């Protein structure tokens, strides 16, 4: 496999405009920014998708919040937009775009025409998925509960056999 450019940046093998680093990720300025201060948040570990390692992604978003706050404080943009728009580089990363007062994002100025029915369809899909996610979480909690009670039973049995 050809070595990934972001992995090289993480390892300091390639010069970058890094301005943030913690145990999970780094943040660098994009060298071809779409706006002043456009940054990339790159996990140190090579993952390709946002949902590949949920815990890691959560930490990346947490770090991104710090970075966004920093960008807001430093560059005073009108707004900050975050995306994981597909890139030629397969190493997952978040793009942080600060926008300034006279630079409203293009997509924002060209709203798409959508039928109400289509909106409802999307809405229902989203709702279903939200509920599914919730129940998956509940399921995980149930499993944990079962594990816990198994462990308890084990210790009770053990103390009985020892006693
Ligand atoms: Zn990589």
């Amino acid at each position: 496999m050809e070595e990934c450019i972001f992995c090289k940046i993480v390892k300091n093998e390639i010069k970058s405009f890094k301005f943030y680093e913690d145990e999970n990720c780094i943040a660098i300025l994009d060298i071809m920014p779409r706006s002043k201060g456009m940054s990339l948040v790159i996990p140190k570990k090579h993952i390709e998708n946002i949902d590949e390692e949920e815990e890691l992604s959560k930490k990346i978003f947490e770090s991104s919040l710090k970075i966004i706050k920093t960008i807001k404080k430093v560059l005073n943009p009108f707004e900050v937009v975050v995306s994981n728009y597909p890139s030629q580089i397969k190493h997952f990363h978040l793009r942080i775009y600060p926008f300034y007062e006279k630079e409203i994002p293009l997509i924002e100025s060209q709203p798409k025409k959508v039928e109400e029915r289509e909106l409802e369809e999307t809405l229902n899909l989203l709702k279903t998925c939200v509920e599914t996610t919730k129940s998956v979480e509940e399921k995980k909690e149930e499993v944990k509960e079962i594990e816990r009670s198994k462990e308890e039973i084990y210790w009770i049995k053990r103390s009985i056999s020892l006693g």
Side-chain angles (χ1 to χ4, degrees):
M1 193 185 94
E2 208 172 294
E3 247 228 273
C4 154
I5 186 168
F6 282 174
C7 283
K8 284 185 176 174
I9 287 175
V10 166
K11 285 186 255 168
N12 284 321
E13 288 172 13
I14 294 179
K15 182 187 149 57
S16 70
F17 297 88
K18 182 166 73 183
F19 64 92
Y20 176 87
E21 178 164 11
D22 62 30
E23 54 174 336
N24 304 298
C25 67
I26 62 166
I28 62 171
L29 283 176
D30 194 305
I31 52 167
M32 290 188 284
R34 303 334 173 258
S35 64
K36 185 186 167 192
M38 181 192 164
S39 306
L40 307 175
V41 183
I42 306 169
K44 287 183 171 174
K45 187 176 179 184
H46 184 104
I47 56 168
E48 296 191 2
N49 301 301
I50 194 166
D51 55 354
E52 202 173 312
E53 285 197 29
E54 223 177 292
E55 288 309 313
L56 179 59
S57 287
K58 280 180 195 168
K59 284 174 183 154
I60 303 303
F61 275 104
E62 222 172 87
S63 305
S64 299
L65 265 179
K66 279 188 214 164
I67 292 153
I68 289 166
K69 279 183 188 166
T70 309
I71 288 175
K72 279 190 166 178
K73 206 157 112 189
V74 174
L75 299 169
N76 196 29
F78 174 69
E79 194 48 273
V80 176
V81 175
V82 181
S83 92
N84 67 324
Y85 200 82
S87 160
Q88 285 191 316
I89 300 165
K90 292 298 166 214
H91 190 131
F92 171 71
H93 58 284
L94 291 175
R95 297 181 185 190
I96 297 175
Y97 304 87
F99 283 99
Y100 305 91
E101 252 180 286
K102 281 171 188 162
E103 266 186 43
I104 305 299
L106 270 181
I107 38 170
E108 203 47 42
S109 63
Q110 292 173 344
K112 231 179 100 188
K113 268 192 185 161
V114 186
E115 299 282 328
E116 202 180 314
R117 197 172 49 86
E118 203 184 324
L119 278 178
E120 260 166 9
E121 251 174 54
T122 314
L123 179 75
N124 285 333
L125 276 174
L126 285 173
K127 274 185 179 170
T128 313
C129 289
V130 166
E131 275 160 26
T132 312
T133 315
K134 214 176 186 178
S135 74
V136 165
E137 281 309 312
E138 280 164 9
K139 284 251 159 56
K140 276 187 192 161
E141 210 40 56
E142 269 175 36
V143 170
K144 268 190 208 157
E145 203 52 53
I146 291 168
E147 287 305 315
R148 257 179 245 133
S149 53
K150 267 187 193 165
E151 207 176 326
E152 253 170 54
I153 290 167
Y154 168 77
W155 284 109
I156 291 168
K157 276 186 181 166
R158 202 184 141 103
S159 69
I160 290 169
S161 71
L162 283 176

